[in-house]
Structure formats: structure tokens, C-alpha cells
Amino acid sequence: MGYALLVLGILVCAATFGGWVWLNAYGCGTGCNDFRLRWQDTEALAVFIPPFIAGSVLALAGAGTILSNRRK
């Protein structure tokens, strides 16, 4: 169960960060080779931060479960 939580958490974090990068690349427009991550965009961050935190909590819970089972 711990490995499933860990993998799920990592996938959620990766998908969230990928969505954030995609949003910034899409906002750059077509033909743009150089784009920056807009950390000052609070409306977008309000959408992307909660799933990133949830993925982090899942990954930490999975890691904690794995470590607690190894100690036994």
C-alpha cells in the first residue's frame, strides 16, 4: 500500500507541474521558444497548488508507510 501511495503522489505532483508548464507555454503563444514560469499569476497558482500539496501528502504518507513497515 505504501508503494501505491508513493507512486500516486509522485504522479499527481508530476502531472500538476506538467500542467503548470503547459499553461505557461500555451500562454506564451505560438512560435515562442523562450517562456518563463509566471509565479506571480495567483489565479493559476490557486488552481495548481492544492493538487501539488495533495500529491506531496500522498507521497509522504507512502514513504512513511514504507519506512514504518521496514522497521518492524
Side-chain angles (χ1 to χ4, degrees):
M1 184 66 176
Y3 288 106
L5 288 174
L6 181 65
V7 170
L8 182 62
I10 291 171
L11 287 175
V12 168
C13 286
T16 302
F17 187 73
W20 175 247
V21 171
W22 177 81
L23 177 70
N24 283 278
Y26 182 74
C28 182
T30 57
C32 181
N33 292 330
D34 185 31
F35 69 93
R36 295 181 305 128
L37 296 178
R38 309 266 184 228
W39 297 107
Q40 66 272 16
D41 186 1
T42 57
E43 291 177 344
L45 285 175
V47 172
F48 286 103
I49 286 179
F52 191 80
I53 291 173
S56 298
V57 168
L58 283 172
L60 288 174
T65 303
I66 292 168
L67 290 176
S68 69
N69 287 337
R70 284 190 179 178
R71 289 184 186 165
K72 291 181 181 180

